[in-house]
Amino acid sequence: MSTPASRPRTSSPVDELHTRERTLTEQHVLVLDFGSQYAQLIARRVREQHVYCDIVRYDIPLQRIRERAPRGLILSGGPASVHEPGAPHCDPAIFQMGIPVLGICYGMQLACHSLGGHVEQAESREYGHASCQTLKEDRLLEGLPNSFDVWMSHGDQVTNTGTAFVPIAHTDTCPVAAVRHTQLPVYGLQFHPEVTHTPLGSTILRNFLLDVCGCSGTWKLGDFVSATVASLRERIGTQRVICGLSGGVDSAVTAALLHEAIGEQLSCILVNNGMLRKGERESIVTEFTRHFRTDLHVVEAEERFLEVLAGVEDPQEKRRRIGATFIECFQQEAKTIEDAAYLAQGTLYPDVIESGAAPDGPAATIKLHHNVGGLPEQLGFKLVEPLRDLFKDEVRRLGEELGLPPDLIWRHPFPGPGLAVRCLGEVTRERLVTLREADAIVVQEIKSAGLYRQTSQAFAVLLPVRSVGVMGDSRTYENAVAVRCVNTDDFMTADWSRLPYDLLARISTRIINEVKGVNRVTYDISSKPPATIEWE
């Protein structure tokens, strides 16, 4: 069976698009993005049902849909009203193509609006839990009880389905919570099946994908590995590839996958900027010289980075200087590697979507991601991005298949500028030592408590303030450290972790007793939003 994983054989964007689409499994669906914060989550939930999918523009031309030949279309939610001037609308002809369509929230309203239904503003915006009751038996709701919990988030709702649609579920405040078309394979849900707050949402999506669209649900990462390895070998041939290692899971899995494909033709570069976590440099060197036996180049650049950061306190300026210095160091080392033609990057699917770089992807650029363009052009390499079709959780599972150690695969995210943006104020060698030791204690204790995999990100922050304390019979005036630990599904929103009090007490006691120069520890209980996960 063909898979979605084969990569392009040249650096031409057109060739890349055509190659990618030729190798997509026939059993895939497209998610049309109308500006929903949950569009990526929908795609992830689809892939969890072992069906491949892509996120595309809401106004993708019909001809492009025909060329891609999906088994189904999912219309995402969105913040607009179908009646607003300039509201996003797809070509209404997509509903007549014979391809099954599932509209979610705004997507349902648009489908009903386009096919004769009536959409009005609700008396009050509905947001949160609701109890949904089925009205009719339908294959979309197969296996669900007569009453089930859902998550609502809408201001408009369908008030009249006309003659084209039949309501199949309702809530106390929403008379049309789910619909199906009487003649076309078009369905709609006013609630969000993709969020965890709709516990049986995965059953509904599975019914749509397997029963309505006819997908077999056989796409798996094993297919990705074999197809990608074969494609990389064919594309790269006998040329050399350079891969930058950062200590994170994305670059490590990229390197491991390339090593599986081309072996000794892979060269890796680790720029040690002095901002890594405790023991990180050593673990990378061990893994990629003993386990994978790659040609690893370590650039010891701590002094250089400290020099350019001297006296700098503004976080954006820190990032700018670190980024520029990294490129200089990487470029200098890359020139010493003969016959290198490709640069590998750990770009993931969310990076591609958010940067507006995906073929047929959402038009708006959310952010210019450091892994999407830029560096290859400056260095003169062709770009290879073997993970650009995968989400983070899929990359972790891929790392397991490739034999990477669990400590590396499940390591919490780490900012590109490293400890520099967790060292508030000026970055100095002494302050980095303090922060690194405190951070290591936070991670050690959370791991010892068995909570590392249950939390999404945990770290220490060195604050630019001192406070008075008493140690023994002496007065102290030393540094304060903040501990940050959050839980999140997508890192777009996050809530602070409710760590046990005794765990927080052990962390505080150890930091104050073992880290020289710290006499106070605080715990950050801010959620995102309004705060961010990182402090800078």
Side-chain angles (χ1 to χ4, degrees), residues 92-103:
I94 69 168
F95 302 112
Q96 309 291 338
M97 296 178 72
I99 301 173
V101 177
L102 175 63

Side-chain angles (χ1 to χ4, degrees), residues 52 94 96 121 135 239 244 250 309 317 336 340 363 390 399 441 444 448-449 451 478 482 523 532:
Y52 186 78
I94 69 168
Q96 309 291 338
Q121 185 175 4
L135 292 169
Q239 294 179 302
D250 302 340
L309 289 172
E317 183 62 17
T336 70
L390 301 183
I441 290 172
Q444 287 168 9
S448 296
L451 296 175
E478 294 179 332
Y523 188 52
T532 56

Side-chain angles (χ1 to χ4, degrees), residues 6-12 15-20 22-23 227 230-237 239 342 382-383:
S6 296
R7 303 306 311 149
R9 296 175 178 81
T10 76
S11 58
S12 164
D15 288 342
E16 178 176 347
L17 172 59
H18 289 170
T19 300
R20 184 171 181 272
R22 283 196 301 270
T23 56
S231 179
L232 287 169
R233 286 173 180 164
E234 183 176 356
R235 179 186 177 193
I236 294 168
Q239 294 179 302
Y342 289 90
K382 290 175 283 187
L383 183 62

Side-chain angles (χ1 to χ4, degrees), residues 216-477:
S216 61
T218 55
W219 180 78
K220 54 185 182 296
L221 282 177
D223 297 330
F224 178 93
V225 173
S226 58
T228 302
V229 165
S231 179
L232 287 169
R233 286 173 180 164
E234 183 176 356
R235 179 186 177 193
I236 294 168
T238 59
Q239 294 179 302
R240 181 162 291 277
V241 178
I242 295 176
C243 179
L245 294 175
S246 66
V249 63
D250 302 340
S251 64
V253 173
T254 298
L257 187 59
L258 281 163
H259 185 266
E260 180 80 10
I262 61 174
E264 295 181 355
Q265 294 166 232
L266 174 66
S267 293
C268 295
I269 297 177
L270 168 64
V271 177
N272 181 16
N273 59 10
M275 314 293 162
L276 300 176
R277 289 170 283 201
K278 186 176 183 178
E280 200 156 50
R281 177 199 177 280
E282 293 75 16
S283 68
I284 296 170
V285 171
T286 298
E287 192 62 33
F288 286 93
T289 55
R290 297 181 185 176
H291 187 164
F292 292 104
R293 301 184 185 279
T294 59
D295 174 37
L296 177 61
H297 299 241
V298 180
V299 181
E300 299 294 356
E302 181 178 8
E303 296 293 337
R304 186 169 177 177
F305 279 85
L306 286 173
E307 192 173 308
V308 300
L309 289 172
V312 178
E313 296 186 3
D314 179 73
Q316 287 300 91
E317 183 62 17
K318 286 181 187 178
R319 291 176 181 273
R320 189 193 68 78
R321 294 194 183 197
I322 289 172
T325 306
F326 171 83
I327 290 176
E328 292 172 2
C329 293
F330 194 97
Q331 189 171 22
Q332 289 173 1
E333 189 63 29
K335 288 179 180 178
T336 70
I337 301 174
E338 296 182 1
D339 302 323
Y342 289 90
L343 176 68
Q345 292 187 159
T347 308
L348 305 189
Y349 194 47
D351 303 334
V352 176
I353 292 296
E354 290 177 356
S355 65
D360 297 323
T365 298
I366 300 173
K367 64 179 179 180
L368 181 59
H369 196 274
H370 67 278
N371 271 351
V372 183
L375 189 57
E377 295 179 4
Q378 295 185 41
L379 299 180
F381 293 121
K382 290 175 283 187
L383 183 62
V384 58
E385 298 173 305
L387 307 181
R388 67 179 281 132
D389 290 332
L390 301 183
F391 289 100
K392 189 78 169 187
D393 54 333
E394 294 170 329
V395 171
R396 293 190 194 278
R397 296 202 304 272
L398 179 58
E400 290 178 323
E401 291 210 15
L402 292 169
L404 286 168
D407 283 351
L408 179 55
I409 295 170
W410 295 100
R411 185 172 294 168
H412 285 177
F414 192 56
L419 294 178
V421 292
R422 293 178 179 172
C423 183
L424 276 59
E426 184 179 8
V427 178
T428 65
R429 188 191 314 278
E430 294 73 24
R431 299 191 78 221
L432 285 172
V433 169
T434 300
L435 174 57
R436 190 175 287 114
E437 293 299 322
D439 183 75
I441 290 172
V442 171
V443 174
Q444 287 168 9
E445 287 298 331
I446 289 177
K447 285 183 175 179
S448 296
L451 296 175
Y452 191 75
R453 292 274 292 271
Q454 283 69 53
T455 54
S456 304
Q457 202 164 350
F459 54 91
V461 179
L462 183 60
L463 304 181
V465 297
R466 289 188 171 188
S467 68
V468 174
V470 177
M471 300 186 78
D473 296 325
S474 302
R475 175 185 181 276
T476 61
Y477 187 59

